[in-house]
Amino acid sequence: MDRSRLEAFSDGVFAVAITLLALDLTVAGPGHGRLLHQLWMHWPAFAAYVISFFTIGIVWVNHHVLVRSITVVTRTLLFLNLVLLLFVVVIPFATGVAAEYLTAKDLTANGGSVWDPRVALALYGAVFLGMSIGFGSIFEWTLHGERVSQPVPVEKRWAARVRFVGGAGVYAIAIVVALFSPAASFVIIALVAVYYVAQRTPRTGDAGDT
Amino acid sequence: MDRSRLEAFSDGVFAVAITLLALDLTVAGPGHGRLLHQLWMHWPAFAAYVISFFTIGIVWVNHHVLVRSITVVTRTLLFLNLVLLLFVVVIPFATGVAAEYLTAKDLTANGGSVWDPRVALALYGAVFLGMSIGFGSIFEWTLHGERVSQPVPVEKRWAARVRFVGGAGVYAIAIVVALFSPAASFVIIALVAVYYVAQRTPRTGDAGDT
Amino acid sequence: MDRSRLEAFSDGVFAVAITLLALDLTVAGPGHGRLLHQLWMHWPAFAAYVISFFTIGIVWVNHHVLVRSITVVTRTLLFLNLVLLLFVVVIPFATGVAAEYLTAKDLTANGGSVWDPRVALALYGAVFLGMSIGFGSIFEWTLHGERVSQPVPVEKRWAARVRFVGGAGVYAIAIVVALFSPAASFVIIALVAVYYVAQRTPRTGDAGDT
Amino acid sequence: MDRSRLEAFSDGVFAVAITLLALDLTVAGPGHGRLLHQLWMHWPAFAAYVISFFTIGIVWVNHHVLVRSITVVTRTLLFLNLVLLLFVVVIPFATGVAAEYLTAKDLTANGGSVWDPRVALALYGAVFLGMSIGFGSIFEWTLHGERVSQPVPVEKRWAARVRFVGGAGVYAIAIVVALFSPAASFVIIALVAVYYVAQRTPRTGDAGDT
């Protein structure tokens, strides 16, 4: 297995997943009230679309930076990469659920619960946490043996790991916050995307940015 | 980050987005009136499909022309490219909404408004305007620093920019026209696609064709 | 525009379109009668899936054979390629409609017509005819000027064209037959796929196999 | 036809099919009971998603290992590859049906049958069996003539074939078991994925791992 086909397959999955996000954007159409009102009521869907879009985009960027220096492709790497993609692919689903429950009304009607938006946002954060852990596992894998052409120097590894734990930690916090305030959790997840977009271009030595 | 993977990812997103356009093509099926009538009533969906298909196709062509001369890939470029793709991915949604409202009847039934088709077409134009601005931002980015192998000569830059402002300007006009006549707005957006398809092959020096 | 990105984009569209075919495969699920019966009632959907799958697969093969010898990529070629892809992308829709109406019952209920299956199959044939013409246009384009590295010899061009007219002609016949017998039209379109699958590997000199 | 475009097209289909799996993940949304309960009731959908995801991932890995040593691309190979992809593309459909019927209640309501979950799981196993046979056919094709750069030595071929028959055989057993216990069949199919994930990296000489 050479690296280029690993990249081609991963790029394909990233590209399809990021495009499927748009399937969550829907309006009920004619006969369901004013269109402007429909669009307005769906603002969380649009916000969640933008957040998920940029988060996947950032992971794709960092994935490339991390993968391009890999010199040996093992079955372990392929498995870790599949775990990462497993969470990437599930993002459109979690995005849709989060958006739907953020504006849901009459939550207790038909057996619903006021806890539902909290569960939805916790799910949203959990998928991003899983993706973050999957990416961190690939990074950790690159540190051992002679697996990359430009390995992260030993003295910088802990700094990189701390940033990883930080990234995953913020998603963990977002999950906990979701149990109290779904909106606050949503804002935290959005800020993570803003933070990584605003960062400088990653290099191999600091590839663990998500 | 080398250019080839930026192209591969962008190509993937363009290819998926252009194919998802076809998901807007639907008929209600048996038990909902004559099929020919159903197809006929959906003619705006077919027209919008063709317009959006060629518009995405043209942007893909121009994207390639613009990107292939880029020699340095920065995080800013990746961000601008994601903004462009953000709008490309949302085109199937906007296309579906525009098509649905162009033939909607009894607009005021169930709380709808006669303004709905106008809003739908304004949304359609706005997505194309966003895409146009995203593409223009990448073009503007290529003008500064030594970022492309064959930079547009200084004396031709304003001509290129004018064409950009022209392209984005027509979409802006289409948005305003939509508030008076959705059908006229639809025709204007279609004519932009016809204009760019009819143009000669772009070269780097005149890449800003969308 | 170099050829490789034309191929990459086309490959992406072919791959997505061929995969979206499977979205037409659905059963109503629990509470809608026995599953075996549901599956059985949908046999035209499965048959249409297989036919469309292999037809797209064959066009992809021939597309590659035709494109790889192209030495100059012009805007005309890009436009013709987009026309071809326009029809490829619409195949899942036409496949779904054809499958739905082939087993529809009570055609005249709710304002339906006994002509509906005939219209559905004519639409199915028309999309394949459009694809065939799009492919033929690209082939014709390769014959003029110095556009391919191994041009089809002049004395073999008419033979190639005849085979083209033959391919497109069979689809045209299938459209006409659909007006009398949708099932017969379905069989004819299936036989075209069988014929091309059974053929030997195309070479540039006989690339016009669809 | 060179090998690289066969790989590009196959990679595209694998990537799209693996991403479409996530479309089976749905919840009814607000107004349909507690979200946690909805998610819990859909646990087979999540389990089936993971199983199908890793199965497709493994086949993609093995496909690459098998294909990269191929030196001559014939129409027979392209046809066998299309057969393999035909089954890969249909996996999301079979996954959705299996997941839906594993938790279905009141099976005999509205004309349903207690046999439905058994049929659903038999279908799930049959699609994997078809994929396995498709992959085995490509492997068998590589053994004859001078078609690969590093052919499997004659003395190792029967061992490879036995492993093939073993892989396909387990799926055949899963189909039979489904007629008695859908849940047991589900577990068997999951164990096949676990087995192949746990295996060492395949090399050309033992490429037939699925």
Side-chain angles (χ1 to χ4, degrees):
Chain A
M1 169 68 68
D2 59 88
R3 214 187 58 222
S4 67
R5 206 173 164 193
L6 172 66
E7 292 181 334
F9 179 69
S10 303
D11 281 356
V13 173
F14 279 117
V16 180
I18 213 169
T19 317
L20 289 187
L21 283 172
L23 294 186
D24 288 330
L25 304 178
T26 51
V27 291
H32 296 83
R34 283 189 301 130
L35 178 56
L36 258 187
H37 183 71
Q38 288 186 47
L39 290 170
W40 171 249
M41 292 308 292
H42 281 70
W43 73 262
F46 292 97
Y49 164 70
V50 173
I51 294 170
S52 297
F53 190 95
F54 278 106
T55 304
I56 294 180
I58 293 158
V59 174
W60 166 71
V61 170
N62 289 336
H63 183 266
H64 174 68
V65 172
L66 190 58
V67 166
R68 76 172 160 186
S69 67
I70 289 174
T71 52
V72 53
V73 176
T74 68
R75 185 166 273 256
T76 302
L77 174 62
L78 292 171
F79 174 73
L80 294 177
N81 196 58
L82 280 177
V83 170
L84 171 64
L85 295 180
L86 183 87
F87 285 103
V88 169
V89 166
V90 98
I91 286 175
F93 165 69
T95 304
V97 173
E100 207 171 7
Y101 277 95
L102 268 178
T103 47
K105 294 173 179 172
D106 299 326
L107 286 165
T108 54
N110 293 313
S113 159
V114 292
W115 278 87
D116 287 349
R118 302 171 194 191
V119 171
L121 265 292
L123 176 71
Y124 192 51
V127 169
F128 283 136
L129 177 60
M131 184 185 71
S132 190
I133 291 172
F135 193 81
S137 305
I138 297 177
F139 174 71
E140 194 65 32
W141 176 90
T142 63
L143 297 180
H144 306 286
E146 300 193 339
R147 292 163 174 165
V148 289
S149 55
Q150 302 174 351
V152 179
V154 174
E155 66 273 17
K156 289 189 178 175
R157 290 185 184 179
W158 277 105
R161 285 190 187 111
V162 165
R163 287 164 68 190
F164 265 123
V165 175
V170 175
Y171 286 126
I173 290 171
I175 295 172
V176 175
V177 169
L179 302 182
F180 300 93
S181 166
S185 178
F186 193 57
V187 169
I188 290 171
I189 292 171
L191 289 177
V192 176
V194 170
Y195 171 73
Y196 282 124
V197 163
Q199 267 207 333
R200 70 200 155 79
T201 309
R203 273 181 296 273
T204 307
D206 50 74
D209 287 274
T210 296
Chain B
M1 169 69 67
D2 60 87
R3 214 187 58 223
S4 67
R5 205 172 165 195
L6 172 66
E7 292 181 335
F9 179 70
S10 302
D11 280 357
V13 172
F14 279 118
V16 180
I18 212 169
T19 316
L20 289 187
L21 282 173
L23 294 186
D24 287 330
L25 304 178
T26 50
V27 292
H32 296 82
R34 282 189 301 129
L35 178 57
L36 257 187
H37 183 72
Q38 288 186 48
L39 291 170
W40 170 250
M41 291 308 291
H42 281 70
W43 73 262
F46 292 98
Y49 165 70
V50 173
I51 294 169
S52 297
F53 189 95
F54 278 106
T55 303
I56 295 180
I58 293 158
V59 173
W60 165 73
V61 170
N62 289 337
H63 183 266
H64 174 68
V65 172
L66 190 57
V67 166
R68 76 172 161 187
S69 68
I70 288 175
T71 51
V72 51
V73 176
T74 67
R75 184 166 273 257
T76 302
L77 173 62
L78 292 171
F79 174 73
L80 294 177
N81 195 57
L82 280 177
V83 170
L84 170 65
L85 295 179
L86 183 86
F87 285 102
V88 169
V89 166
V90 98
I91 287 175
F93 164 69
T95 305
V97 172
E100 207 171 7
Y101 277 94
L102 268 178
T103 48
K105 293 173 180 172
D106 299 327
L107 286 166
T108 55
N110 293 313
S113 159
V114 293
W115 279 85
D116 287 350
R118 302 171 193 190
V119 171
L121 265 292
L123 176 72
Y124 193 50
V127 169
F128 282 136
L129 177 60
M131 184 185 71
S132 189
I133 291 172
F135 193 81
S137 305
I138 298 177
F139 173 72
E140 193 66 32
W141 177 89
T142 63
L143 297 180
H144 305 287
E146 299 194 339
R147 292 163 174 166
V148 290
S149 55
Q150 304 174 351
V152 179
V154 174
E155 67 273 16
K156 290 190 177 175
R157 289 184 183 178
W158 277 105
R161 284 191 188 113
V162 166
R163 287 164 69 190
F164 265 123
V165 175
V170 175
Y171 286 127
I173 290 170
I175 295 172
V176 175
V177 169
L179 302 182
F180 300 94
S181 165
S185 178
F186 194 57
V187 170
I188 291 171
I189 292 171
L191 289 177
V192 176
V194 171
Y195 170 74
Y196 283 123
V197 164
Q199 266 207 333
R200 70 201 154 79
T201 308
R203 273 180 296 273
T204 307
D206 50 73
D209 287 271
T210 295
Chain C
M1 168 70 66
D2 59 89
R3 214 187 57 223
S4 66
R5 206 172 165 194
L6 172 66
E7 291 181 335
F9 179 70
S10 303
D11 280 357
V13 172
F14 279 118
V16 180
I18 212 170
T19 316
L20 289 186
L21 282 173
L23 294 186
D24 288 330
L25 304 177
T26 50
V27 292
H32 296 83
R34 283 189 302 128
L35 178 56
L36 258 187
H37 183 72
Q38 288 186 48
L39 290 169
W40 171 248
M41 291 308 292
H42 281 71
W43 73 262
F46 292 98
Y49 165 70
V50 173
I51 294 169
S52 297
F53 190 96
F54 278 106
T55 304
I56 294 180
I58 293 158
V59 174
W60 166 72
V61 170
N62 290 336
H63 183 266
H64 175 68
V65 172
L66 189 57
V67 165
R68 76 172 160 185
S69 67
I70 289 175
T71 51
V72 52
V73 175
T74 67
R75 183 166 274 255
T76 302
L77 173 61
L78 292 171
F79 174 73
L80 294 177
N81 195 58
L82 280 177
V83 170
L84 170 64
L85 295 179
L86 183 88
F87 285 103
V88 169
V89 166
V90 98
I91 287 175
F93 164 69
T95 304
V97 172
E100 207 170 7
Y101 277 95
L102 268 177
T103 48
K105 293 173 179 172
D106 299 327
L107 286 166
T108 54
N110 292 313
S113 159
V114 293
W115 279 86
D116 287 349
R118 303 171 192 189
V119 171
L121 265 292
L123 176 71
Y124 192 50
V127 169
F128 282 136
L129 176 60
M131 185 184 70
S132 189
I133 291 172
F135 193 80
S137 305
I138 297 177
F139 174 71
E140 194 66 31
W141 177 89
T142 64
L143 296 180
H144 305 286
E146 299 194 338
R147 291 162 175 167
V148 290
S149 55
Q150 302 174 352
V152 179
V154 175
E155 67 272 16
K156 290 191 177 175
R157 290 184 183 179
W158 277 105
R161 285 191 187 111
V162 165
R163 287 163 69 191
F164 266 123
V165 174
V170 175
Y171 287 127
I173 290 170
I175 295 172
V176 175
V177 169
L179 302 182
F180 300 93
S181 166
S185 177
F186 193 57
V187 170
I188 291 172
I189 292 171
L191 288 177
V192 175
V194 170
Y195 170 74
Y196 282 123
V197 164
Q199 266 207 334
R200 70 200 153 79
T201 308
R203 273 181 296 274
T204 306
D206 52 75
D209 286 273
T210 296
Chain D
M1 169 70 67
D2 58 89
R3 213 188 57 223
S4 67
R5 206 173 163 194
L6 172 66
E7 292 182 333
F9 179 69
S10 303
D11 281 357
V13 173
F14 279 119
V16 180
I18 212 169
T19 315
L20 289 186
L21 283 172
L23 295 185
D24 288 330
L25 304 178
T26 51
V27 291
H32 296 83
R34 282 191 301 130
L35 178 57
L36 258 187
H37 183 72
Q38 289 187 47
L39 290 169
W40 171 248
M41 291 308 292
H42 281 71
W43 73 262
F46 292 98
Y49 165 69
V50 173
I51 294 170
S52 297
F53 189 96
F54 278 105
T55 304
I56 294 180
I58 293 158
V59 174
W60 166 72
V61 170
N62 289 336
H63 183 266
H64 175 69
V65 171
L66 190 57
V67 166
R68 75 172 161 185
S69 67
I70 289 175
T71 51
V72 53
V73 176
T74 67
R75 184 167 274 255
T76 302
L77 173 62
L78 292 172
F79 174 73
L80 295 177
N81 196 58
L82 280 178
V83 170
L84 171 64
L85 295 180
L86 183 87
F87 285 104
V88 169
V89 166
V90 98
I91 287 176
F93 164 69
T95 304
V97 172
E100 207 171 7
Y101 277 95
L102 268 178
T103 47
K105 293 173 179 172
D106 299 327
L107 286 165
T108 54
N110 293 313
S113 159
V114 293
W115 279 86
D116 287 349
R118 303 171 193 189
V119 172
L121 265 293
L123 176 71
Y124 192 51
V127 169
F128 282 136
L129 177 60
M131 185 184 70
S132 190
I133 291 173
F135 193 81
S137 306
I138 298 177
F139 174 71
E140 195 64 33
W141 177 89
T142 64
L143 296 180
H144 306 286
E146 300 194 339
R147 292 163 176 166
V148 289
S149 55
Q150 303 175 351
V152 179
V154 175
E155 66 272 17
K156 290 191 177 174
R157 289 184 184 179
W158 277 105
R161 284 190 187 114
V162 165
R163 288 162 69 190
F164 265 123
V165 175
V170 175
Y171 286 127
I173 290 170
I175 295 172
V176 175
V177 169
L179 302 181
F180 300 94
S181 166
S185 178
F186 194 58
V187 170
I188 290 172
I189 292 171
L191 289 176
V192 176
V194 170
Y195 171 73
Y196 282 123
V197 164
Q199 267 206 334
R200 71 200 153 78
T201 308
R203 273 181 296 274
T204 307
D206 50 75
D209 287 274
T210 295

